[in-house]
mmCIF file of all heavy atoms in Angstrom:
data_model
loop_
_atom_site.group_PDB
_atom_site.id
_atom_site.type_symbol
_atom_site.label_atom_id
_atom_site.label_comp_id
_atom_site.label_asym_id
_atom_site.label_seq_id
_atom_site.Cartn_x
_atom_site.Cartn_y
_atom_site.Cartn_z
ATOM 1 N N SER A 1385 -168.688 -127.363 -15.348
ATOM 2 C CA SER A 1385 -167.907 -127.523 -16.575
ATOM 3 C C SER A 1385 -167.763 -129.011 -16.863
ATOM 4 O O SER A 1385 -167.625 -129.828 -15.940
ATOM 5 C CB SER A 1385 -166.530 -126.868 -16.452
ATOM 6 O OG SER A 1385 -165.738 -127.501 -15.463
ATOM 7 N N TRP A 1386 -167.810 -129.339 -18.165
ATOM 8 C CA TRP A 1386 -167.808 -130.729 -18.592
ATOM 9 C C TRP A 1386 -166.815 -130.932 -19.724
ATOM 10 O O TRP A 1386 -166.688 -130.084 -20.599
ATOM 11 C CB TRP A 1386 -169.205 -131.147 -19.084
ATOM 12 C CG TRP A 1386 -170.322 -130.842 -18.144
ATOM 13 C CD1 TRP A 1386 -171.057 -129.683 -18.085
ATOM 14 C CD2 TRP A 1386 -170.849 -131.700 -17.123
ATOM 15 N NE1 TRP A 1386 -172.001 -129.762 -17.103
ATOM 16 C CE2 TRP A 1386 -171.903 -131.002 -16.486
ATOM 17 C CE3 TRP A 1386 -170.536 -132.993 -16.695
ATOM 18 C CZ2 TRP A 1386 -172.635 -131.537 -15.440
ATOM 19 C CZ3 TRP A 1386 -171.263 -133.535 -15.651
ATOM 20 C CH2 TRP A 1386 -172.305 -132.820 -15.041
ATOM 21 N N HIS A 1387 -166.122 -132.072 -19.703
ATOM 22 C CA HIS A 1387 -165.240 -132.474 -20.799
ATOM 23 C C HIS A 1387 -165.477 -133.957 -21.105
ATOM 24 O O HIS A 1387 -165.530 -134.777 -20.180
ATOM 25 C CB HIS A 1387 -163.758 -132.296 -20.435
ATOM 26 C CG HIS A 1387 -163.335 -130.880 -20.216
ATOM 27 N ND1 HIS A 1387 -163.574 -130.203 -19.042
ATOM 28 C CD2 HIS A 1387 -162.665 -130.011 -21.028
ATOM 29 C CE1 HIS A 1387 -163.077 -128.987 -19.132
ATOM 30 N NE2 HIS A 1387 -162.521 -128.845 -20.322
ATOM 31 N N PHE A 1388 -165.607 -134.266 -22.391
ATOM 32 C CA PHE A 1388 -165.697 -135.647 -22.846
ATOM 33 C C PHE A 1388 -164.778 -135.799 -24.054
ATOM 34 O O PHE A 1388 -164.795 -134.951 -24.956
ATOM 35 C CB PHE A 1388 -167.133 -136.019 -23.235
ATOM 36 C CG PHE A 1388 -168.136 -135.791 -22.134
ATOM 37 C CD1 PHE A 1388 -168.900 -134.633 -22.105
ATOM 38 C CD2 PHE A 1388 -168.299 -136.731 -21.128
ATOM 39 C CE1 PHE A 1388 -169.812 -134.407 -21.095
ATOM 40 C CE2 PHE A 1388 -169.212 -136.520 -20.099
ATOM 41 C CZ PHE A 1388 -169.978 -135.357 -20.084
ATOM 42 N N ALA A 1389 -163.979 -136.866 -24.074
ATOM 43 C CA ALA A 1389 -162.996 -136.989 -25.149
ATOM 44 C C ALA A 1389 -162.727 -138.446 -25.493
ATOM 45 O O ALA A 1389 -162.892 -139.352 -24.655
ATOM 46 C CB ALA A 1389 -161.687 -136.291 -24.747
ATOM 47 N N PHE A 1390 -162.286 -138.644 -26.735
ATOM 48 C CA PHE A 1390 -161.803 -139.943 -27.194
ATOM 49 C C PHE A 1390 -160.488 -139.719 -27.931
ATOM 50 O O PHE A 1390 -160.391 -138.850 -28.813
ATOM 51 C CB PHE A 1390 -162.799 -140.616 -28.143
ATOM 52 C CG PHE A 1390 -162.241 -141.846 -28.809
ATOM 53 C CD1 PHE A 1390 -162.120 -143.037 -28.113
ATOM 54 C CD2 PHE A 1390 -161.796 -141.800 -30.128
ATOM 55 C CE1 PHE A 1390 -161.591 -144.172 -28.711
ATOM 56 C CE2 PHE A 1390 -161.266 -142.937 -30.746
ATOM 57 C CZ PHE A 1390 -161.162 -144.123 -30.030
ATOM 58 N N TYR A 1391 -159.464 -140.507 -27.568
ATOM 59 C CA TYR A 1391 -158.146 -140.387 -28.185
ATOM 60 C C TYR A 1391 -157.781 -141.718 -28.833
ATOM 61 O O TYR A 1391 -157.723 -142.755 -28.155
ATOM 62 C CB TYR A 1391 -157.095 -139.988 -27.149
ATOM 63 C CG TYR A 1391 -157.373 -138.630 -26.559
ATOM 64 C CD1 TYR A 1391 -158.052 -138.512 -25.347
ATOM 65 C CD2 TYR A 1391 -157.000 -137.475 -27.232
ATOM 66 C CE1 TYR A 1391 -158.342 -137.261 -24.817
ATOM 67 C CE2 TYR A 1391 -157.284 -136.225 -26.699
ATOM 68 C CZ TYR A 1391 -157.960 -136.125 -25.504
ATOM 69 O OH TYR A 1391 -158.264 -134.892 -25.000
ATOM 70 N N LYS A 1392 -157.533 -141.676 -30.130
ATOM 71 C CA LYS A 1392 -157.180 -142.898 -30.852
ATOM 72 C C LYS A 1392 -155.783 -143.373 -30.488
ATOM 73 O O LYS A 1392 -155.542 -144.569 -30.356
ATOM 74 C CB LYS A 1392 -157.289 -142.657 -32.360
ATOM 75 C CG LYS A 1392 -156.990 -143.888 -33.199
ATOM 76 C CD LYS A 1392 -157.923 -145.043 -32.838
ATOM 77 C CE LYS A 1392 -157.549 -146.317 -33.584
ATOM 78 N NZ LYS A 1392 -158.317 -147.479 -33.103
ATOM 79 N N ASN A 1393 -154.849 -142.437 -30.322
ATOM 80 C CA ASN A 1393 -153.470 -142.798 -29.972
ATOM 81 C C ASN A 1393 -152.746 -141.567 -29.446
ATOM 82 O O ASN A 1393 -153.328 -140.471 -29.355
ATOM 83 C CB ASN A 1393 -152.722 -143.386 -31.177
ATOM 84 C CG ASN A 1393 -152.937 -142.617 -32.455
ATOM 85 O OD1 ASN A 1393 -153.667 -143.070 -33.346
ATOM 86 N ND2 ASN A 1393 -152.345 -141.426 -32.553
ATOM 87 N N GLU A 1394 -151.464 -141.737 -29.108
ATOM 88 C CA GLU A 1394 -150.664 -140.596 -28.649
ATOM 89 C C GLU A 1394 -150.473 -139.603 -29.803
ATOM 90 O O GLU A 1394 -150.837 -139.880 -30.938
ATOM 91 C CB GLU A 1394 -149.318 -141.067 -28.081
ATOM 92 C CG GLU A 1394 -148.672 -142.227 -28.807
ATOM 93 C CD GLU A 1394 -148.113 -141.834 -30.148
ATOM 94 O OE1 GLU A 1394 -147.541 -140.746 -30.243
ATOM 95 O OE2 GLU A 1394 -148.262 -142.605 -31.102
ATOM 96 N N GLU A 1395 -149.866 -138.454 -29.520
ATOM 97 C CA GLU A 1395 -149.931 -137.315 -30.435
ATOM 98 C C GLU A 1395 -149.191 -137.497 -31.752
ATOM 99 O O GLU A 1395 -149.562 -136.889 -32.769
ATOM 100 C CB GLU A 1395 -149.427 -136.034 -29.749
ATOM 101 C CG GLU A 1395 -147.989 -136.062 -29.283
ATOM 102 C CD GLU A 1395 -147.830 -136.485 -27.856
ATOM 103 O OE1 GLU A 1395 -148.588 -137.374 -27.392
ATOM 104 O OE2 GLU A 1395 -146.944 -135.949 -27.177
ATOM 105 N N LEU A 1396 -148.134 -138.316 -31.810
ATOM 106 C CA LEU A 1396 -147.311 -138.423 -33.016
ATOM 107 C C LEU A 1396 -147.665 -139.617 -33.891
ATOM 108 O O LEU A 1396 -147.149 -139.732 -35.001
ATOM 109 C CB LEU A 1396 -145.828 -138.503 -32.644
ATOM 110 C CG LEU A 1396 -145.256 -137.341 -31.831
ATOM 111 C CD1 LEU A 1396 -143.762 -137.549 -31.595
ATOM 112 C CD2 LEU A 1396 -145.501 -136.000 -32.515
ATOM 113 N N ASN A 1397 -148.515 -140.513 -33.388
ATOM 114 C CA ASN A 1397 -148.798 -141.782 -34.064
ATOM 115 C C ASN A 1397 -147.504 -142.529 -34.376
ATOM 116 O O ASN A 1397 -147.364 -143.176 -35.406
ATOM 117 C CB ASN A 1397 -149.601 -141.556 -35.360
ATOM 118 C CG ASN A 1397 -150.183 -142.852 -35.899
ATOM 119 O OD1 ASN A 1397 -150.437 -143.792 -35.152
ATOM 120 N ND2 ASN A 1397 -150.381 -142.921 -37.211
ATOM 121 N N ASP A 1398 -146.538 -142.412 -33.474
ATOM 122 C CA ASP A 1398 -145.261 -143.116 -33.575
ATOM 123 C C ASP A 1398 -144.759 -143.333 -32.154
ATOM 124 O O ASP A 1398 -144.021 -142.516 -31.604
ATOM 125 C CB ASP A 1398 -144.257 -142.316 -34.398
ATOM 126 C CG ASP A 1398 -142.910 -143.039 -34.526
ATOM 127 O OD1 ASP A 1398 -142.806 -144.191 -34.048
ATOM 128 O OD2 ASP A 1398 -141.964 -142.445 -35.088
ATOM 129 N N SER A 1399 -145.172 -144.424 -31.544
ATOM 130 C CA SER A 1399 -144.846 -144.655 -30.144
ATOM 131 C C SER A 1399 -143.397 -145.061 -29.916
ATOM 132 O O SER A 1399 -142.986 -145.275 -28.775
ATOM 133 C CB SER A 1399 -145.770 -145.736 -29.567
ATOM 134 O OG SER A 1399 -145.625 -146.932 -30.298
ATOM 135 N N SER A 1400 -142.610 -145.164 -30.993
ATOM 136 C CA SER A 1400 -141.179 -145.448 -30.826
ATOM 137 C C SER A 1400 -140.356 -144.157 -30.770
ATOM 138 O O SER A 1400 -139.138 -144.214 -30.566
ATOM 139 C CB SER A 1400 -140.672 -146.316 -31.980
ATOM 140 O OG SER A 1400 -140.741 -145.610 -33.213
ATOM 141 N N ASN A 1401 -140.999 -142.999 -30.949
ATOM 142 C CA ASN A 1401 -140.297 -141.729 -31.035
ATOM 143 C C ASN A 1401 -140.460 -140.935 -29.737
ATOM 144 O O ASN A 1401 -141.548 -140.439 -29.438
ATOM 145 C CB ASN A 1401 -140.846 -140.926 -32.213
ATOM 146 C CG ASN A 1401 -140.112 -139.610 -32.407
ATOM 147 O OD1 ASN A 1401 -139.124 -139.323 -31.729
ATOM 148 N ND2 ASN A 1401 -140.601 -138.803 -33.332
ATOM 149 N N PRO A 1402 -139.378 -140.774 -28.942
ATOM 150 C CA PRO A 1402 -139.481 -140.004 -27.702
ATOM 151 C C PRO A 1402 -139.297 -138.496 -27.899
ATOM 152 O O PRO A 1402 -139.277 -137.760 -26.911
ATOM 153 C CB PRO A 1402 -138.347 -140.574 -26.852
ATOM 154 C CG PRO A 1402 -137.295 -140.931 -27.853
ATOM 155 C CD PRO A 1402 -138.040 -141.399 -29.085
ATOM 156 N N ASN A 1403 -139.155 -138.048 -29.133
ATOM 157 C CA ASN A 1403 -139.000 -136.611 -29.391
ATOM 158 C C ASN A 1403 -140.368 -135.942 -29.357
ATOM 159 O O ASN A 1403 -140.961 -135.614 -30.385
ATOM 160 C CB ASN A 1403 -138.343 -136.376 -30.749
ATOM 161 C CG ASN A 1403 -136.908 -136.832 -30.783
ATOM 162 O OD1 ASN A 1403 -136.324 -137.146 -29.742
ATOM 163 N ND2 ASN A 1403 -136.324 -136.888 -31.959
ATOM 164 N N ARG A 1404 -140.843 -135.736 -28.159
ATOM 165 C CA ARG A 1404 -142.181 -135.198 -27.961
ATOM 166 C C ARG A 1404 -142.219 -134.354 -26.700
ATOM 167 O O ARG A 1404 -141.311 -134.424 -25.860
ATOM 168 C CB ARG A 1404 -143.207 -136.341 -27.878
ATOM 169 C CG ARG A 1404 -142.969 -137.268 -26.695
ATOM 170 C CD ARG A 1404 -143.934 -138.461 -26.703
ATOM 171 N NE ARG A 1404 -143.685 -139.319 -27.856
ATOM 172 C CZ ARG A 1404 -144.653 -139.883 -28.565
ATOM 173 N NH1 ARG A 1404 -145.913 -139.684 -28.241
ATOM 174 N NH2 ARG A 1404 -144.360 -140.671 -29.592
ATOM 175 N N TYR A 1405 -143.315 -133.586 -26.545
ATOM 176 C CA TYR A 1405 -143.443 -132.702 -25.378
ATOM 177 C C TYR A 1405 -144.057 -133.407 -24.178
ATOM 178 O O TYR A 1405 -143.596 -133.247 -23.050
ATOM 179 C CB TYR A 1405 -144.294 -131.482 -25.735
ATOM 180 C CG TYR A 1405 -144.747 -130.701 -24.528
ATOM 181 C CD1 TYR A 1405 -143.876 -129.836 -23.860
ATOM 182 C CD2 TYR A 1405 -146.036 -130.858 -24.019
ATOM 183 C CE1 TYR A 1405 -144.286 -129.139 -22.732
ATOM 184 C CE2 TYR A 1405 -146.452 -130.160 -22.894
ATOM 185 C CZ TYR A 1405 -145.574 -129.298 -22.252
ATOM 186 O OH TYR A 1405 -145.977 -128.617 -21.132
ATOM 187 N N SER A 1406 -145.127 -134.170 -24.388
ATOM 188 C CA SER A 1406 -145.805 -134.802 -23.260
ATOM 189 C C SER A 1406 -145.439 -136.281 -23.180
ATOM 190 O O SER A 1406 -145.151 -136.926 -24.190
ATOM 191 C CB SER A 1406 -147.320 -134.612 -23.363
ATOM 192 O OG SER A 1406 -147.817 -135.075 -24.591
ATOM 193 N N PHE A 1407 -145.467 -136.805 -21.953
ATOM 194 C CA PHE A 1407 -144.999 -138.169 -21.707
ATOM 195 C C PHE A 1407 -146.080 -139.195 -22.049
ATOM 196 O O PHE A 1407 -147.231 -139.077 -21.623
ATOM 197 C CB PHE A 1407 -144.569 -138.320 -20.246
ATOM 198 C CG PHE A 1407 -143.263 -137.662 -19.943
ATOM 199 C CD1 PHE A 1407 -143.207 -136.318 -19.576
ATOM 200 C CD2 PHE A 1407 -142.077 -138.368 -20.047
ATOM 201 C CE1 PHE A 1407 -141.993 -135.703 -19.308
ATOM 202 C CE2 PHE A 1407 -140.850 -137.766 -19.784
ATOM 203 C CZ PHE A 1407 -140.817 -136.420 -19.419
ATOM 204 N N ASP A 1408 -145.669 -140.224 -22.818
ATOM 205 C CA ASP A 1408 -146.541 -141.329 -23.217
ATOM 206 C C ASP A 1408 -145.767 -142.630 -23.099
ATOM 207 O O ASP A 1408 -144.535 -142.632 -22.974
ATOM 208 C CB ASP A 1408 -146.994 -141.155 -24.671
ATOM 209 C CG ASP A 1408 -147.773 -139.874 -24.897
ATOM 210 O OD1 ASP A 1408 -148.907 -139.776 -24.381
ATOM 211 O OD2 ASP A 1408 -147.256 -138.969 -25.590
ATOM 212 N N LEU A 1409 -146.482 -143.752 -23.172
ATOM 213 C CA LEU A 1409 -145.803 -145.039 -23.272
ATOM 214 C C LEU A 1409 -144.972 -145.068 -24.552
ATOM 215 O O LEU A 1409 -145.430 -144.664 -25.619
ATOM 216 C CB LEU A 1409 -146.812 -146.187 -23.302
ATOM 217 C CG LEU A 1409 -147.644 -146.435 -22.044
ATOM 218 C CD1 LEU A 1409 -148.522 -147.666 -22.229
ATOM 219 C CD2 LEU A 1409 -146.752 -146.597 -20.811
ATOM 220 N N ILE A 1410 -143.726 -145.543 -24.429
ATOM 221 C CA ILE A 1410 -142.794 -145.576 -25.553
ATOM 222 C C ILE A 1410 -142.336 -147.019 -25.779
ATOM 223 O O ILE A 1410 -142.016 -147.751 -24.830
ATOM 224 C CB ILE A 1410 -141.577 -144.669 -25.276
ATOM 225 C CG1 ILE A 1410 -142.012 -143.206 -25.195
ATOM 226 C CG2 ILE A 1410 -140.508 -144.838 -26.343
ATOM 227 C CD1 ILE A 1410 -142.515 -142.623 -26.495
ATOM 228 N N ARG A 1411 -142.277 -147.411 -27.054
ATOM 229 C CA ARG A 1411 -141.785 -148.747 -27.410
ATOM 230 C C ARG A 1411 -140.260 -148.705 -27.522
ATOM 231 O O ARG A 1411 -139.705 -148.052 -28.404
ATOM 232 C CB ARG A 1411 -142.405 -149.201 -28.729
ATOM 233 C CG ARG A 1411 -143.901 -149.494 -28.615
ATOM 234 C CD ARG A 1411 -144.437 -150.210 -29.838
ATOM 235 N NE ARG A 1411 -144.442 -149.347 -31.015
ATOM 236 C CZ ARG A 1411 -143.662 -149.511 -32.068
ATOM 237 N NH1 ARG A 1411 -142.764 -150.483 -32.093
ATOM 238 N NH2 ARG A 1411 -143.747 -148.694 -33.094
ATOM 239 N N VAL A 1412 -139.590 -149.373 -26.597
ATOM 240 C CA VAL A 1412 -138.136 -149.437 -26.610
ATOM 241 C C VAL A 1412 -137.696 -150.745 -25.948
ATOM 242 O O VAL A 1412 -138.285 -151.179 -24.951
ATOM 243 C CB VAL A 1412 -137.523 -148.215 -25.879
ATOM 244 C CG1 VAL A 1412 -137.988 -148.137 -24.431
ATOM 245 C CG2 VAL A 1412 -136.005 -148.227 -25.952
ATOM 246 N N ASP A 1413 -136.682 -151.401 -26.523
ATOM 247 C CA ASP A 1413 -136.147 -152.661 -25.995
ATOM 248 C C ASP A 1413 -137.284 -153.685 -25.837
ATOM 249 O O ASP A 1413 -138.064 -153.883 -26.753
ATOM 250 C CB ASP A 1413 -135.402 -152.415 -24.683
ATOM 251 C CG ASP A 1413 -134.216 -151.472 -24.873
ATOM 252 O OD1 ASP A 1413 -133.634 -151.495 -25.973
ATOM 253 O OD2 ASP A 1413 -133.895 -150.721 -23.939
ATOM 254 N N ASP A 1414 -137.395 -154.313 -24.655
ATOM 255 C CA ASP A 1414 -138.436 -155.326 -24.481
ATOM 256 C C ASP A 1414 -139.781 -154.725 -24.062
ATOM 257 O O ASP A 1414 -140.775 -155.448 -23.940
ATOM 258 C CB ASP A 1414 -138.002 -156.386 -23.471
ATOM 259 C CG ASP A 1414 -137.695 -155.798 -22.101
ATOM 260 O OD1 ASP A 1414 -137.778 -154.562 -21.946
ATOM 261 O OD2 ASP A 1414 -137.370 -156.582 -21.179
ATOM 262 N N GLN A 1415 -139.810 -153.417 -23.820
ATOM 263 C CA GLN A 1415 -141.076 -152.737 -23.521
ATOM 264 C C GLN A 1415 -141.671 -152.226 -24.831
ATOM 265 O O GLN A 1415 -141.247 -151.203 -25.382
ATOM 266 C CB GLN A 1415 -140.838 -151.573 -22.552
ATOM 267 C CG GLN A 1415 -140.533 -151.994 -21.132
ATOM 268 C CD GLN A 1415 -141.804 -152.389 -20.373
ATOM 269 O OE1 GLN A 1415 -142.921 -152.148 -20.811
ATOM 270 N NE2 GLN A 1415 -141.617 -153.009 -19.201
ATOM 271 N N GLN A 1416 -142.659 -152.941 -25.354
ATOM 272 C CA GLN A 1416 -143.233 -152.638 -26.667
ATOM 273 C C GLN A 1416 -144.704 -152.264 -26.553
ATOM 274 O O GLN A 1416 -145.541 -152.702 -27.344
ATOM 275 C CB GLN A 1416 -143.043 -153.840 -27.592
ATOM 276 C CG GLN A 1416 -141.607 -154.103 -27.985
ATOM 277 C CD GLN A 1416 -141.050 -152.972 -28.850
ATOM 278 O OE1 GLN A 1416 -141.663 -152.578 -29.848
ATOM 279 N NE2 GLN A 1416 -139.902 -152.456 -28.474
ATOM 280 N N ASN A 1417 -145.008 -151.413 -25.576
ATOM 281 C CA ASN A 1417 -146.390 -151.025 -25.328
ATOM 282 C C ASN A 1417 -146.684 -149.611 -25.805
ATOM 283 O O ASN A 1417 -145.811 -148.732 -25.777
ATOM 284 C CB ASN A 1417 -146.703 -151.126 -23.826
ATOM 285 C CG ASN A 1417 -146.571 -152.542 -23.305
ATOM 286 O OD1 ASN A 1417 -147.233 -153.447 -23.806
ATOM 287 N ND2 ASN A 1417 -145.702 -152.745 -22.318
ATOM 288 N N GLU A 1418 -147.946 -149.386 -26.217
ATOM 289 C CA GLU A 1418 -148.390 -148.055 -26.611
ATOM 290 C C GLU A 1418 -149.852 -147.857 -26.241
ATOM 291 O O GLU A 1418 -150.616 -148.818 -26.107
ATOM 292 C CB GLU A 1418 -148.192 -147.822 -28.105
ATOM 293 C CG GLU A 1418 -148.914 -148.801 -29.003
ATOM 294 C CD GLU A 1418 -148.611 -148.539 -30.470
ATOM 295 O OE1 GLU A 1418 -149.135 -147.550 -31.014
ATOM 296 O OE2 GLU A 1418 -147.850 -149.331 -31.053
ATOM 297 N N GLU A 1419 -150.234 -146.580 -26.067
ATOM 298 C CA GLU A 1419 -151.593 -146.224 -25.657
ATOM 299 C C GLU A 1419 -152.496 -146.099 -26.874
ATOM 300 O O GLU A 1419 -152.159 -145.424 -27.840
ATOM 301 C CB GLU A 1419 -151.580 -144.898 -24.898
ATOM 302 C CG GLU A 1419 -150.639 -144.868 -23.710
ATOM 303 C CD GLU A 1419 -150.343 -143.445 -23.252
ATOM 304 O OE1 GLU A 1419 -151.174 -142.547 -23.504
ATOM 305 O OE2 GLU A 1419 -149.273 -143.234 -22.654
ATOM 306 N N ILE A 1420 -153.692 -146.719 -26.806
ATOM 307 C CA ILE A 1420 -154.667 -146.619 -27.894
ATOM 308 C C ILE A 1420 -156.076 -146.555 -27.301
ATOM 309 O O ILE A 1420 -156.296 -146.938 -26.146
ATOM 310 C CB ILE A 1420 -154.577 -147.808 -28.879
ATOM 311 C CG1 ILE A 1420 -154.816 -149.134 -28.150
ATOM 312 C CG2 ILE A 1420 -153.231 -147.829 -29.594
ATOM 313 C CD1 ILE A 1420 -154.969 -150.326 -29.074
ATOM 314 N N ASN A 1421 -157.010 -146.037 -28.102
ATOM 315 C CA ASN A 1421 -158.453 -146.104 -27.819
ATOM 316 C C ASN A 1421 -158.792 -145.681 -26.388
ATOM 317 O O ASN A 1421 -159.378 -146.446 -25.611
ATOM 318 C CB ASN A 1421 -158.981 -147.514 -28.090
ATOM 319 C CG ASN A 1421 -158.699 -147.963 -29.512
ATOM 320 O OD1 ASN A 1421 -158.663 -147.144 -30.435
ATOM 321 N ND2 ASN A 1421 -158.486 -149.261 -29.694
ATOM 322 N N GLN A 1422 -158.446 -144.439 -26.064
ATOM 323 C CA GLN A 1422 -158.622 -143.921 -24.702
ATOM 324 C C GLN A 1422 -159.832 -142.993 -24.633
ATOM 325 O O GLN A 1422 -160.040 -142.162 -25.513
ATOM 326 C CB GLN A 1422 -157.357 -143.170 -24.292
ATOM 327 C CG GLN A 1422 -157.428 -142.483 -22.938
ATOM 328 C CD GLN A 1422 -156.121 -141.793 -22.616
ATOM 329 O OE1 GLN A 1422 -155.060 -142.426 -22.591
ATOM 330 N NE2 GLN A 1422 -156.176 -140.485 -22.375
ATOM 331 N N VAL A 1423 -160.627 -143.129 -23.572
ATOM 332 C CA VAL A 1423 -161.754 -142.231 -23.330
ATOM 333 C C VAL A 1423 -161.498 -141.465 -22.039
ATOM 334 O O VAL A 1423 -160.893 -141.991 -21.092
ATOM 335 C CB VAL A 1423 -163.089 -142.995 -23.244
ATOM 336 C CG1 VAL A 1423 -163.453 -143.591 -24.588
ATOM 337 C CG2 VAL A 1423 -163.043 -144.072 -22.176
ATOM 338 N N ASN A 1424 -161.936 -140.203 -22.025
ATOM 339 C CA ASN A 1424 -161.772 -139.337 -20.856
ATOM 340 C C ASN A 1424 -163.077 -138.623 -20.544
ATOM 341 O O ASN A 1424 -163.817 -138.227 -21.457
ATOM 342 C CB ASN A 1424 -160.690 -138.282 -21.103
ATOM 343 C CG ASN A 1424 -159.295 -138.816 -20.921
ATOM 344 O OD1 ASN A 1424 -158.756 -139.455 -21.823
ATOM 345 N ND2 ASN A 1424 -158.702 -138.562 -19.762
ATOM 346 N N GLY A 1425 -163.330 -138.456 -19.254
ATOM 347 C CA GLY A 1425 -164.451 -137.646 -18.799
ATOM 348 C C GLY A 1425 -164.028 -136.818 -17.605
ATOM 349 O O GLY A 1425 -163.301 -137.309 -16.729
ATOM 350 N N ARG A 1426 -164.448 -135.569 -17.576
ATOM 351 C CA ARG A 1426 -164.123 -134.679 -16.455
ATOM 352 C C ARG A 1426 -165.327 -133.801 -16.153
ATOM 353 O O ARG A 1426 -165.929 -133.224 -17.076
ATOM 354 C CB ARG A 1426 -162.914 -133.808 -16.781
ATOM 355 C CG ARG A 1426 -162.472 -132.872 -15.650
ATOM 356 C CD ARG A 1426 -161.324 -131.982 -16.103
ATOM 357 N NE ARG A 1426 -160.765 -131.161 -15.039
ATOM 358 C CZ ARG A 1426 -161.214 -129.949 -14.701
ATOM 359 N NH1 ARG A 1426 -162.250 -129.416 -15.352
ATOM 360 N NH2 ARG A 1426 -160.644 -129.252 -13.726
#
């Protein structure tokens, strides 16, 4: 079985919003980081 994927960003396209189901980098206080341009292979 094979999986190949590309993800432009987290699911909401709003990394300041923690109202979500799965855990992602969140921009809050001095931590202003977010996930972008991710590739996956399995």
Side-chain angles (χ1 to χ4, degrees):
S1385 64
W1386 309 89
H1387 295 80
F1388 304 98
F1390 171 76
Y1391 297 96
K1392 182 58 185 172
N1393 45 254
E1394 38 72 40
E1395 61 266 37
L1396 302 182
N1397 193 27
D1398 180 5
S1399 59
S1400 65
N1401 183 5
N1403 292 349
R1404 63 185 65 220
Y1405 166 78
S1406 55
F1407 286 87
D1408 300 291
L1409 294 184
I1410 295 293
R1411 291 192 291 112
V1412 59
D1413 299 329
D1414 59 358
Q1415 287 281 348
Q1416 291 294 309
N1417 298 303
E1418 59 183 286
E1419 305 163 25
I1420 59 171
N1421 303 328
Q1422 176 179 303
V1423 293
N1424 280 81
R1426 182 184 186 272

